[in-house]
Amino acid sequence: MSERHDRAVVTVAGVAVDTRHWIDGRRVASSATFPDASPMDGAPLAEIARGGAAEASAAVTAARAAFPGWAATGREERARILHAIADGVDKRTEELAAVETADNGALLRSHRRGVMPRVAHNFRFFADWLLTLGHEDFETRGHSNHVSWDPAGVCALITPWNAPLMLATWKVAPALAAGNTVVLKPAEWSPLTASLLADIAAEAGLPAGVLNVLQGYGEEAGAALVSDPRVARISFTGSVPTARHIAGAAAANLVPVSLELGGKSPLLVFADADLDLAVELAVEQYDNAGQVCLAGTRLLVESSVAEEFTRRFVEKAATLRQGDPRDEATGIGPNIHPDHVARIDGFVQRALACGARAVIGGGPNTELGGFYYLPTLLTDVAPDAEIVTEEVFGPVLTLQTFDTEEEALTLANGTRFGLAATLLTGDQERADRVTRQLVAGTVWVNCFFVRDLQAPFGGSRQSGIGREGGTWSFDFYCDVKNTVTAPKGFAHHG
């Protein structure tokens, strides 16, 4: 899978990747490294620079030094450079897709056709939004009010392993567009494409120090980064326990945070829904081997159609081919890491021990090895069972039934999460009633995963804090200022 060039550079899927940090426009090594392996087969990919407090401090120092110059750069020039980064992503789509598939195991065809184009779009969208960002001036008793968005400073961005480059650039692009400088800390299980992004940004003309990439473990590099008092903003996508540590560090320095923390989203199917569509969207929840924060993992189906829904679901799920994510015919690939597979299986085995029934799946795919978990559907689960209240983050769905709209809402809102919800019904009035009562940051009605960057994105309850997207991103990454000017009082000179 990988081949050593020297101590710093490896070849992954035919692409040269530097394994060092990117700090102040140059590559920086660490005295220690950590291993990175492919979830496709467990083969070693690289030894990655293992950053700690010293490297985190150096990255923040570089970002802080670069901030005045980048903040003073005009909107048009910042937008031009972001478009140039997007052009670089487009030129390297095949390389980025191949490396990310090797590194995190997601389907190669998805990376080629959807994920990497979205990476480029992230930069283009926020570059263009920057040029239109504004608020109409207004008057107060004859005084004029002018709203502006001032860059905040150094942004610490900590990103997950399930969609590494797309979710990193969802944060990096608006932070840079706003005039901030960035220290990006990618997840240690999928660090490679962040390194390639640093190369692309440098080639696009982004000044040294504006984007820094800090590799390492969360408890070492990440902890040092978020506790640095020079950091002005922290954005994190990941687990609730990690978010608690980050929020504590941020609180000590009164630093604003944006937290996107996964979920346990419901997918509600009423008897008047299009069952073919409902089944199609339900099986789609196995996308990326279930490693999608927005996935509707709790199937809530009206009792009168539950048997028919289940029959069609089993037939549809049986057409999913599990295997090598580089194969065009593969529908579901591996999970990220053996430790994560063991975690997934722990949830399932505890559920089975408590009386749940596996309609399909129920364990690892022993034919494919330790990284592959069978698409699983569990029934006969209690409303308060661990399997329906805790995020599994794997190809594991549960099916519960309901008889009334009120019961459906009680089940749907019955967890500590509130990231997303999917509703299938043929009744517009019901759709309106139910969506008003669902606790979720995003609700899809008779569709799934339709995402627009101008829409607000974030979670309710323990699915997160804050919203990003469109102007909401600039509200977070900036200090929003209102300037009030009196109608008279300026001295005339000259």
Side-chain angles (χ1 to χ4, degrees):
M1 181 64 63
S2 66
E3 171 189 340
R4 281 282 175 189
H5 283 324
D6 55 38
R7 291 183 178 179
V9 179
V10 295
T11 298
V12 177
V15 181
V17 184
D18 201 301
T19 62
R20 295 171 292 182
H21 315 285
W22 177 257
I23 298 174
D24 202 18
R26 63 188 181 89
R27 292 292 175 180
V28 176
S30 290
S31 58
T33 62
F34 65 91
D36 182 32
S38 175
M40 294 193 300
D41 53 12
L45 294 175
E47 290 290 327
I48 309 295
R50 182 173 171 176
E55 291 87 351
S57 180
V60 174
T61 297
R64 188 173 173 86
F67 174 67
W70 182 244
T73 301
R75 287 188 177 191
E76 291 77 10
E77 178 63 7
R78 293 205 304 266
R80 185 194 67 78
I81 292 176
L82 263 62
H83 273 285
I85 295 173
D87 291 340
V89 171
D90 284 339
K91 289 176 184 177
R92 301 190 68 177
T93 290
E94 289 295 320
E95 294 181 0
L96 291 167
V99 171
E100 191 138 297
T101 291
D103 203 20
N104 91 322
L107 301 184
L108 180 59
R109 70 168 188 266
S110 295
H111 280 138
R112 284 172 168 165
R113 299 170 192 169
V115 176
M116 296 309 160
R118 170 65 184 274
V119 168
H121 177 62
N122 285 344
F123 284 104
R124 297 193 195 284
F125 173 88
F126 285 107
D128 293 342
W129 198 268
L130 169 66
L131 298 181
T132 63
L133 182 67
H135 190 290
E136 288 188 8
D137 289 356
F138 57 97
E139 287 193 3
T140 304
R141 298 189 299 278
H143 296 64
S144 68
N145 291 262
H146 176 72
V147 178
S148 58
W149 284 259
D150 294 348
V154 178
C155 297
L157 310 179
I158 301 178
T159 54
W161 45 259
N162 58 317
L165 192 56
M166 193 272 284
L167 291 178
T169 55
W170 157 251
K171 300 176 188 294
V172 169
L176 294 181
N180 298 305
T181 53
V182 165
V183 179
L184 170 64
K185 211 296 283 183
E188 56 265 29
W189 281 352
S190 55
L192 298 181
T193 48
S195 180
L196 294 176
L197 176 64
D199 296 333
I200 292 170
E203 291 166 6
L206 191 69
V210 175
L211 171 65
N212 305 273
V213 177
L214 173 67
Q215 304 283 13
Y217 291 121
E219 59 269 27
E220 297 172 352
L225 177 61
V226 299
S227 62
D228 193 312
R230 298 172 295 172
V231 167
R233 294 290 188 276
I234 300 170
S235 181
F236 168 74
T237 298
S239 71
V240 172
T242 301
R244 294 185 193 280
H245 291 293
I246 290 173
N253 296 317
L254 292 179
V255 176
V257 296
S258 178
L259 305 174
E260 195 266 277
L261 307 178
K264 195 68 180 177
S265 301
L267 188 152
L268 296 91
V269 180
F270 285 89
D272 57 10
D274 178 338
L275 274 193
D276 286 334
L277 174 62
V279 167
E280 179 183 342
L281 296 184
V283 174
E284 192 176 329
Q285 308 309 307
Y286 290 130
D287 182 49
N288 201 22
Q291 299 167 146
V292 178
C293 59
L294 292 163
T297 56
R298 295 184 294 131
L299 310 182
L300 308 179
V301 184
E302 192 164 352
S303 299
S304 61
V305 295
E307 184 176 347
E308 178 65 13
F309 173 89
T310 304
R311 182 186 66 79
R312 295 192 199 183
F313 179 94
V314 171
E315 289 178 355
K316 180 74 173 177
T319 66
L320 282 177
R321 176 177 169 183
Q322 189 167 30
D324 190 330
R326 296 167 297 187
D327 190 331
E328 283 281 321
T330 297
I332 180 170
N335 289 99
I336 186 72
H337 192 277
D339 290 349
H340 190 58
V341 174
R343 181 180 181 274
I344 294 168
D345 195 47
F347 277 110
V348 172
Q349 299 312 315
R350 289 191 297 273
L352 294 173
C354 290
R357 180 173 66 90
V359 178
I360 61 172
N365 188 328
T366 56
E367 295 181 2
L368 295 176
F371 289 84
Y372 294 79
Y373 204 86
L374 290 168
T376 296
L377 176 65
L378 301 177
T379 60
D380 300 334
V381 292
D384 60 350
E386 178 194 54
I387 197 69
V388 296
T389 59
E390 296 298 322
E391 186 176 40
V392 177
F393 217 59
V396 179
L397 310 181
T398 58
L399 191 152
Q400 298 165 278
T401 61
F402 61 86
D403 294 311
T404 67
E405 196 172 291
E406 291 72 22
E407 186 182 359
L409 281 163
T410 298
L411 289 170
N413 292 333
T415 76
R416 61 194 173 102
F417 296 103
L419 186 58
T422 301
L423 169 63
L424 291 117
T425 178
D427 185 331
Q428 179 66 58
E429 292 184 358
R430 168 180 280 150
D432 293 341
R433 280 196 309 273
V434 172
T435 54
R436 282 196 301 269
Q437 298 175 76
L438 286 169
V439 179
T442 300
V443 179
W444 288 286
V445 180
N446 296 326
C447 60
F448 177 66
F449 219 66
V450 179
R451 288 273 292 113
D452 193 309
L453 286 178
Q454 64 184 312
F457 180 75
S460 304
R461 295 177 174 169
Q462 291 195 18
S463 282
I465 295 174
R467 296 291 184 270
E468 295 186 40
T471 301
W472 288 276
S473 285
F474 288 94
D475 287 345
F476 173 70
Y477 287 109
C478 292
D479 290 321
V480 183
K481 177 192 293 179
N482 186 46
T483 301
V484 184
T485 304
K488 295 180 180 179
F490 290 112
H492 295 283
H493 301 280

